[in-house]
Amino acid sequence: MRKTRCFLIAAVMVAASAGAAAQNPRDGRYPATTGTIPPPVLGRQSVAPEWSGESGASGHPLMTAEAIRAAAANFRSCIERIWPLASRRGITRNVFATYTAQLTPDLRIMDLLDNQPEFTKSFWDYLDILVTPERIASGRALLEKYRTVFDTVEKAYGVDRYTVTAIWGVETNYGAIGGERPVIRSTATLACVGRRQTYFREEFLSALEILQRGDVRPDRLVGSWAGAFGPTQFMPTAFKRYAVDFDHDGRRDVVDSVPDLIASTANNLHKAGWVNGQTWGYEVVVPATFNFMLADHARMLPIREWEHQGLARPDGKPFPRPDDRAFLLVPAGVQGPGFLMLANFRAIMKYNPAEAYALAIGHLADRLRGAPPFVQPWPRYEHVLSRTERLELQQLLTRHGYDVGEPDGQFGAKTRAAIRDFQAKIGQVPDGFASAVVLERLRK
Ligand code: CA
């Protein structure tokens, strides 16, 4: 789940920054259906760009141009090898044949699989792109329009309506940029070609199950290149776990039924550990003398203990619930704002495991609720490391003996902890921020 949600972010971010029309070309509707099983929705000509024909940037052996061509040539036999697995979970031969007979791989996805622009964006870029006056206004309009649905869903799942709406807004700009790729074709491609086949085989099988059950209309089971669909971008396996039929029409339609969509997203957060009545977190001022070694995901302390360490809200207001436990995130280091993150931030991270993304969701939720923008400035003058520089930084940290996992250019808690430790060793403020200065020092 983890990595894949990140792929979705890439799709959404690209769409959000470059304009939805450029990245998610609307390639028309599928033909009208007749009979009980609609015609295949697959193998259609797309106006999207073709595969570059180049090897992927990951360097993974299954991502070389030769490996991709070979896997594409074996696509039919790969799909047939999946049939017994589908049969075992109750997919009929008729349904399997209907949705796979004309299936061809969408190799353009291989370019997207190895290109993740979001990880070279700063936190402030994310917030600028995802939390805009337009998105706040649209979200408030939806909250008003579906007030009674939200009332009922909040009662049923105990999940804050503003957060559900913020996910809706951040994932697809409320359904405007969800992508138009048939989920069956995307997941089949990824199940047979490239470096994540085992993971996507399960997604492909789950997508077939959705079609067999008739939860989502076949022509509406479209989405991002990684197979996420609907306004809040459910992956097929997440759909299986969390989707609910809230309007009681017998179908769990997270694409076209607003009650199903809102309730299923709330149920996902509920199952991810959402604590009713708590917020996601607070912006805090971190004193320059603070011991930044304490800013670690693993260190959950009661807010009153953080207050003893000198942390305060920028407006000076008291924390409403000082016994709630939180960890401190300082995403841009000593020169940017700090955030105390409650259990609900972790629940949002389970929905979408990128910190910047989860922060955008939390912040958009606050803005929808009527809260003001963050108070403290971001260090916008800082050079944001490129993907290549990020990879290099992780490789250098590994060479210095740190465990940052497999260097992949994606920074998480491990990389930040390693940076903190290295900064402390060279006499810098150990704020964990991957600055150009840190990279320079590591190169020496
Ligand atoms: Ca329904």
Side-chain angles (χ1 to χ4, degrees):
M1 190 69 191
R2 198 181 157 78
K3 291 276 168 109
T4 300
R5 298 280 332 170
C6 295
F7 300 157
L8 314 185
I9 298 165
V12 174
M13 287 300 295
V14 169
S17 55
Q23 289 295 327
N24 295 307
R26 307 262 155 181
D27 50 4
R29 289 285 162 214
Y30 302 114
T33 61
T34 51
T36 49
I37 296 177
V41 294
L42 313 155
R44 298 166 62 260
Q45 288 297 311
S46 170
V47 295
E50 294 298 311
W51 176 46
S52 66
E54 289 167 14
S55 297
S58 65
H60 192 286
L62 291 174
M63 296 302 291
T64 66
E66 299 73 44
I68 290 169
R69 281 202 187 85
N74 285 320
F75 183 72
R76 289 300 334 160
S77 61
C78 171
I79 294 295
E80 273 314 310
R81 279 199 305 279
I82 295 176
W83 157 244
L85 301 173
S87 172
R88 223 170 290 155
R89 60 179 72 194
I91 308 286
T92 66
R93 183 67 212 186
N94 192 14
V95 164
F96 190 81
T98 299
Y99 292 108
T100 64
Q102 296 176 51
L103 204 52
T104 56
D106 178 0
L107 294 184
R108 166 72 181 150
I109 289 174
M110 292 302 117
D111 293 332
L112 302 168
L113 178 60
D114 264 10
N115 175 31
Q116 297 174 47
E118 82 280 18
F119 292 109
T120 60
K121 284 199 187 301
S122 63
F123 272 66
W124 49 94
D125 286 337
Y126 264 103
L127 292 168
D128 287 352
I129 292 166
L130 295 171
V131 187
T132 61
E134 294 74 31
R135 254 178 237 228
I136 295 165
S138 306
R140 285 180 182 162
L142 286 173
L143 282 156
E144 186 54 41
K145 185 173 178 187
Y146 298 111
R147 177 189 296 273
T148 54
V149 177
F150 280 112
D151 286 346
T152 327
V153 168
E154 266 183 2
K155 272 199 199 91
Y157 298 98
V159 175
D160 163 55
R161 67 184 67 199
Y162 301 102
T163 305
V164 172
T165 308
I167 288 176
W168 194 353
V170 163
E171 290 284 353
T172 63
N173 199 4
Y174 311 105
I177 51 169
E180 291 289 315
R181 285 187 155 83
V183 171
I184 283 285
R185 188 182 185 202
S186 301
T187 54
T189 300
L190 287 155
C192 289
V193 188
R195 61 183 160 86
R196 302 216 56 214
Q197 295 178 25
T198 308
Y199 173 88
F200 279 104
R201 192 178 307 133
E202 190 58 37
E203 297 297 340
F204 173 58
L205 288 163
S206 298
L208 284 169
E209 286 181 74
I210 293 168
L211 290 171
Q212 167 140 327
R213 285 179 40 88
D215 283 314
V216 177
R217 272 172 45 199
D219 62 322
R220 301 287 285 153
L221 194 64
V222 296
S224 76
W225 62 266
F229 60 96
T232 56
Q233 296 281 278
F234 273 96
M235 289 296 287
T237 52
F239 174 94
K240 266 180 81 171
R241 284 195 293 273
Y242 307 121
V244 291
D245 174 22
F246 204 69
D247 61 10
H248 305 294
D249 70 346
R251 298 161 60 238
R252 299 181 293 164
D253 188 352
V254 299
V255 179
D256 287 319
S257 158
V258 170
D260 287 6
L261 150 73
I262 290 173
S264 300
T265 307
N267 185 41
N268 192 334
L269 285 172
H270 168 67
K271 295 276 166 56
W274 185 269
V275 183
N276 192 7
Q278 281 193 6
T279 183
W280 59 273
Y282 304 96
E283 181 188 0
V284 290
V285 179
V286 185
T289 54
F290 181 78
N291 174 12
F292 281 90
M293 299 301 276
L294 300 176
D296 192 290
H297 277 228
R299 194 177 295 268
M300 292 288 280
L301 299 176
I303 287 176
R304 65 171 80 254
E305 285 194 33
W306 290 115
E307 288 187 282
H308 288 316
Q309 301 280 343
L311 304 193
R313 299 178 78 181
D315 56 10
K317 283 188 186 151
F319 292 99
R321 298 159 56 106
D323 291 323
D324 289 349
R325 298 174 75 83
F327 72 89
L328 175 65
L329 181 69
V330 276
V334 66
Q335 300 175 89
F339 300 93
L340 279 180
M341 299 302 198
L342 309 181
N344 285 342
F345 188 75
R346 291 187 191 274
I348 299 172
M349 289 276 292
K350 281 186 198 160
Y351 198 92
N352 208 325
E355 287 167 346
Y357 209 66
L359 181 62
I361 288 170
H363 187 48
L364 179 55
D366 282 355
R367 301 296 303 279
L368 291 171
R369 198 182 280 118
F374 291 138
V375 175
Q376 299 163 92
W378 295 92
R380 291 175 183 273
Y381 45 82
E382 281 282 354
H383 167 69
V384 178
L385 299 188
S386 69
R387 182 178 161 81
T388 312
E389 287 171 325
R390 286 170 164 245
L391 265 172
E392 183 190 358
L393 183 127
Q394 287 178 319
Q395 284 156 357
L396 289 169
L397 285 168
T398 306
R399 208 173 301 160
H400 278 73
Y402 293 105
D403 171 21
V404 297
E406 176 103 354
D408 56 3
Q410 305 172 19
F411 289 180
K414 273 184 171 178
T415 302
R416 195 175 296 116
I419 293 172
R420 276 203 308 271
D421 195 77
F422 178 75
Q423 288 172 316
K425 276 185 188 155
I426 62 172
Q428 283 189 352
V429 177
D431 62 9
F433 183 61
S435 66
V437 175
V438 168
L439 181 59
E440 281 288 297
R441 290 296 298 265
L442 277 164
R443 280 173 177 156
K444 283 182 184 168

